[in-house]
Amino acid sequence: MRSAWLALVVLMAPALAAAQRPAARAVARPRPDVFLGYSYTHAGEASLHGWELSGSYPVGSSLRLVADLSGHYGSFAQADLTQATFLVGARRVWAKRRFAPFAEALLGGVRTKTSVPDVSVSDSDTDWGGALGGGLDYRLSGPWAVRAQADLLLLRAEGAWESDPRLSLGIVYRLRR
Amino acid sequence: MKDLLTFLVEEMTGSKEFEIQESEEEGKRAARSDQPGLHPHARRLAPAGGERQSERFLGPQDPRSAKLFNTSELLSGVTPRTAGPRGSAYDAGNGAWLREEELKMHGTRSVLILAVAALALALAACGGNPASPSGMTGGVAVRGVLLGEGAAVGASSVRASSSSGSQITVTVEGNPSLTTTISGNGTFELEGVPAGTFTLTFTKDGVVIGTVTITAGDGVEVKIVVKMEGAVIVLVDLELEDNDDNDDANKTCLIEGGRVGDRIELEGRVTSVTGTSFQMTTEGERAHGTVNVSASGASFKCNGDKGSADCKTSLKAGDKVHVRGTLTSCSLEQASVTATEVKVQKSDDDEDEDDDD
């Protein structure tokens, strides 16, 4: 996982560097958007499925403020697991025709809940968390777009940072300003 | 992946029309500035059917122009014989001069391809986890959950793990290569543990804080729940699940997966009847052998006639039965079930007799 994480950063570095160059021409007028979709994460050893809801607000031609909520659910061993994330951060978008790749960095909290129905035990915890990753929007007609997104969810637990992959696929609705 | 990249590149660069939205003010400003020699930000691509895109070429004295020429030459290995438009570069691959816009688009294309590649890498990373070699088969798989110190039976509580400040590892005693760190959400997994009796050792800061000894056969999945209690780990729940369909050596019951005390359903044919009990043979995939059924407290249903008093008394060898009940004993030769419900399908002989009547 560490090597994949490193490779991701290395690959994204040229893209981030290129973003510093001035734009060659007028770009699409940025609009706030809302994303809702299916989401999967491999949290620890458990595969969890759920949803992701995020909204972004442009603060420049290509930079956006992002608020991100997600909920993932599943079971492992004899326990039912729930993981909820609430993150905020920034997103850099490279809009090009119908495609809009983006990279983002988010910080916030991760709440995990573990319950074992057989013995009626429940346990919950809230830790610092974050997300680093990116995705791709493909614009459909009107305000709609589809988005594929991949993040490394970061969780600060037991004095160490852990990273778990999160994949999301869903629809984007672009609001009018 | 190659097809995807090709599609993406074609979609982004093989353009027939450009779909760029601008505010009205930006549009007007761009229209006013649609002439050579203006700032790049002021220029725009024309929408389909609209005005042509302006072409402002850099002068030969412009360092960017020289750089573009040099880069092109280096990459292609071909030096253009004649000078092209100002600010353009020669694309030896296509044998054409590229305008400034096209050159910048090439740069953007690289950025996008890198972004897509990063996505693909992240997707691929999901499959890799050295701590849990999912492809590993054989042995025992241990999957467990550690609950925090505050967790209590019958209550919901807040975990105190984040304050403890160090991670806990689980190791199979006597086999240090089989070790894993408990993840942030408390889950852990060990695969390929040798079958038999083994001890899981929980360690924190090099100090053993708990051990659990388990006996499991090959192909068994051990589901374990432990929790922190003070400075030690205690066992909360343990369940063994046999996932190996072909493991006949470990079978102790003629009914696959059958465990004494479990609810069970069986189908078979009656071989003999003694009072309120009968013996049946099962020949299905899940069970193959003789089963003694105690049916004193069972309800009987014959060919759709629920509760027929005659059904119970008319049960005889050869009838096909569907039995629901509890498995009370089981070996590889025989099993016993206390039935709660018996559905009887009378044998063909009986139906023939009925027809004769």
Side-chain angles (χ1 to χ4, degrees):
Chain A
M1 179 57 68
R2 180 176 292 178
S3 58
W5 174 203
L6 185 66
L8 180 69
V9 171
V10 169
L11 273 174
M12 293 300 282
L16 291 168
Q20 304 305 313
R21 294 186 213 125
R25 55 183 165 269
V27 294
R29 185 187 181 195
R31 289 153 65 171
D33 64 31
V34 176
F35 165 76
L36 178 64
Y38 160 80
S39 186
Y40 163 87
T41 185
H42 194 77
E45 303 296 344
S47 294
L48 308 179
H49 304 266
W51 52 268
E52 182 184 354
L53 173 67
S54 70
S56 75
Y57 190 86
V59 288
S61 60
S62 55
L63 194 67
R64 288 166 173 269
L65 294 178
V66 180
D68 181 293
L69 296 172
S70 69
H72 295 92
Y73 315 89
S75 58
F76 188 80
Q78 301 180 77
D80 293 333
L81 305 174
T82 301
Q83 184 181 69
T85 63
F86 30 97
L87 308 168
V88 293
R91 176 184 298 162
R92 178 69 166 84
V93 182
W94 294 268
K96 174 63 67 178
R97 284 172 45 73
R98 288 188 175 274
F99 288 94
F102 61 87
E104 64 183 12
L106 309 171
L107 189 67
V110 178
R111 182 168 179 81
T112 56
K113 183 181 178 185
T114 308
S115 59
V116 187
D118 288 352
V119 288
S120 301
V121 174
S122 182
D123 180 23
S124 60
D125 192 17
T126 304
D127 296 297
W128 283 101
L132 286 170
L136 187 69
D137 285 1
Y138 180 77
R139 218 175 79 208
L140 305 172
S141 61
W144 299 98
V146 290
R147 175 177 297 172
Q149 185 177 335
D151 294 303
L152 282 175
L153 271 181
L154 307 174
L155 173 66
R156 176 81 176 171
E158 303 290 350
W161 284 98
E162 291 181 8
S163 62
D164 296 314
R166 178 180 71 169
L167 304 174
S168 302
L169 184 68
I171 55 170
V172 179
Y173 183 81
R174 295 185 306 149
L175 306 166
R176 295 194 179 280
R177 292 185 85 169
Chain B
M1 181 55 69
K2 188 181 176 185
D3 292 342
L4 175 64
L5 287 174
T6 305
F7 169 74
L8 290 172
V9 170
E10 285 176 354
E11 185 72 15
M12 289 182 289
T13 60
S15 60
K16 293 185 177 64
E17 60 179 318
F18 293 92
E19 298 180 30
I20 292 182
Q21 293 188 350
E22 294 177 311
S23 66
E24 195 176 339
E25 190 181 343
E26 286 170 332
K28 286 176 183 171
R29 191 170 63 233
R32 284 197 302 272
S33 65
D34 192 12
Q35 50 188 290
L38 293 179
H39 190 276
H41 282 108
R43 289 176 295 110
R44 67 186 178 98
L45 295 174
E51 56 199 348
R52 265 188 64 79
Q53 166 191 342
S54 67
E55 297 180 8
R56 183 182 71 92
F57 294 110
L58 302 173
Q61 72 283 6
D62 190 312
R64 281 182 292 169
S65 175
K67 186 180 178 186
L68 288 171
F69 268 104
N70 291 339
T71 305
S72 174
E73 289 166 18
L74 281 172
L75 289 176
S76 64
V78 175
T79 305
R81 293 172 188 166
T82 56
R86 291 159 62 194
S88 62
Y90 187 71
D91 180 358
N94 293 316
W97 290 92
L98 300 177
R99 291 195 309 264
E100 182 195 5
E101 318 295 358
E102 292 168 321
L103 287 167
K104 286 183 176 174
M105 189 172 280
H106 279 219
T108 311
R109 184 196 305 179
S110 305
V111 171
L112 294 174
I113 290 172
L114 281 169
V116 172
L119 257 181
L121 187 74
L123 287 167
C126 298
N129 189 347
S132 57
S134 55
M136 186 180 287
T137 57
V140 180
V142 179
R143 294 188 173 88
V145 174
L146 169 70
L147 302 172
E149 193 173 352
V153 175
S156 177
S157 58
V158 176
R159 195 186 303 170
S161 56
S162 54
S163 60
S164 54
S166 60
Q167 293 185 304
I168 297 170
T169 57
V170 188
T171 308
V172 176
E173 199 171 85
N175 201 338
S177 63
L178 285 170
T179 184
T180 188
T181 302
I182 294 179
S183 63
N185 64 357
T187 56
F188 61 93
E189 182 176 41
L190 286 165
E191 290 193 339
V193 179
T197 300
F198 57 90
T199 299
L200 298 179
T201 303
F202 296 82
T203 310
K204 186 177 183 182
D205 295 331
V207 178
V208 175
I209 56 172
T211 58
V212 177
T213 300
I214 300 164
T215 301
D218 215 15
V220 170
E221 180 184 348
V222 176
K223 296 177 175 178
I224 181 172
V225 179
V226 293
K227 81 180 188 82
M228 290 291 297
E229 201 164 272
V232 297
I233 277 182
V234 295
L235 181 65
V236 174
D237 203 9
L238 179 69
E239 186 178 303
L240 275 60
E241 191 173 295
D242 193 349
N243 292 329
D244 195 340
D245 294 337
N246 301 317
D247 192 8
D248 290 337
N250 290 327
K251 279 183 77 171
T252 56
C253 176
L254 65 89
I255 301 165
E256 190 181 303
R259 288 185 297 191
V260 172
D262 280 0
R263 296 283 298 168
I264 196 165
E265 285 189 44
L266 292 170
E267 270 190 356
R269 207 167 276 278
V270 176
T271 53
S272 64
V273 180
T274 311
T276 57
S277 298
F278 61 90
Q279 197 170 59
M280 63 183 281
T281 56
T282 60
E283 294 179 350
E285 288 183 4
R286 196 179 161 216
H288 187 88
T290 302
V291 179
N292 297 310
V293 181
S294 172
S296 57
S299 64
F300 277 72
K301 184 180 174 183
C302 281
N303 291 346
D305 298 330
K306 187 174 183 181
S308 168
D310 295 337
C311 180
K312 193 170 185 176
T313 54
S314 66
L315 184 71
K316 64 181 183 54
D319 289 347
K320 195 174 174 183
V321 289
H322 181 106
V323 176
R324 281 185 184 174
T326 304
L327 189 64
T328 53
S329 69
C330 194
S331 69
L332 288 173
E333 290 77 34
Q334 267 194 344
S336 298
V337 171
T338 299
T340 55
E341 183 183 315
V342 180
K343 290 179 182 173
V344 185
Q345 185 179 344
K346 305 302 285 185
S347 64
D348 294 341
D349 294 343
D350 292 344
E351 288 171 6
D352 291 342
E353 287 169 15
D354 292 342
D355 291 342
D356 293 341
D357 293 341

